[in-house]
Amino acid sequence: QVQLVESGGGLVQAGGSLRLSCAASDLSFSLYAMGWFRQAPGTEREFVAAINYSGGSTYYADSVKGRFTISRHNVKNTVYLQMNSLKPEDTAIYSCAAHWMGASSRAPPRNPVEYNYWGQGTQVTVSS
């Protein structure tokens, strides 16, 4: 079965850093764009970042641009989210997701309904 498993969440002070990892299994990893989404209590799930299958193009929500970096290591079937200068408003459950791209060179979508597979999420809590 396809599995996406996140790790690296935790409690950190404002201004600190965390690196999230998402390990994928049982899918052709290089044929999928990967995205990170987050959801805080009482809010809708929102786009954070995405990366294409080659790792050559990245995309970010305005709220995290310049602070977060998405990357992937295709041999390891793993995608990462490096989060720096964390703010309390970054507190949320962070989930990784995979979107089928195949041979397409278009940008990955930002709409979560277009993603095929999801991890169960990892909690990130940023204290003030």
Side-chain angles (χ1 to χ4, degrees):
Q1 299 289 334
V2 172
Q3 287 188 309
L4 303 177
V5 180
E6 301 96 337
S7 61
L11 175 64
V12 65
Q13 288 184 305
S17 298
L18 287 172
R19 188 172 83 153
L20 307 183
S21 298
C22 174
S25 62
D26 292 328
L27 82 168
S28 298
F29 191 67
S30 64
L31 299 181
Y32 287 81
M34 300 296 296
W36 285 97
F37 296 80
R38 66 187 183 186
Q39 186 170 21
T43 71
E44 297 295 320
R45 184 161 49 197
E46 66 173 347
F47 171 81
V48 176
I51 188 167
N52 73 351
Y53 64 90
S54 71
S57 298
T58 57
Y59 310 86
Y60 299 94
D62 289 342
S63 59
V64 307
K65 193 174 300 181
R67 300 188 297 120
F68 291 10
T69 303
I70 188 171
S71 61
R72 68 192 293 168
H73 195 303
N74 290 339
V75 173
K76 296 181 179 180
N77 288 353
T78 302
V79 63
Y80 306 94
L81 185 69
Q82 178 66 47
M83 305 186 295
N84 298 328
S85 301
L86 283 162
K87 305 174 181 179
E89 52 262 45
D90 295 318
T91 295
I93 296 174
Y94 284 72
S95 300
C96 68
H99 170 76
W100 172 260
M101 295 287 289
S104 176
S105 60
R106 67 178 177 85
R110 298 182 175 222
N111 190 338
V113 306
E114 299 195 47
Y115 283 75
N116 304 96
Y117 301 105
W118 290 84
Q120 294 191 349
T122 185
Q123 177 71 47
V124 171
T125 302
V126 184
S127 63
S128 60

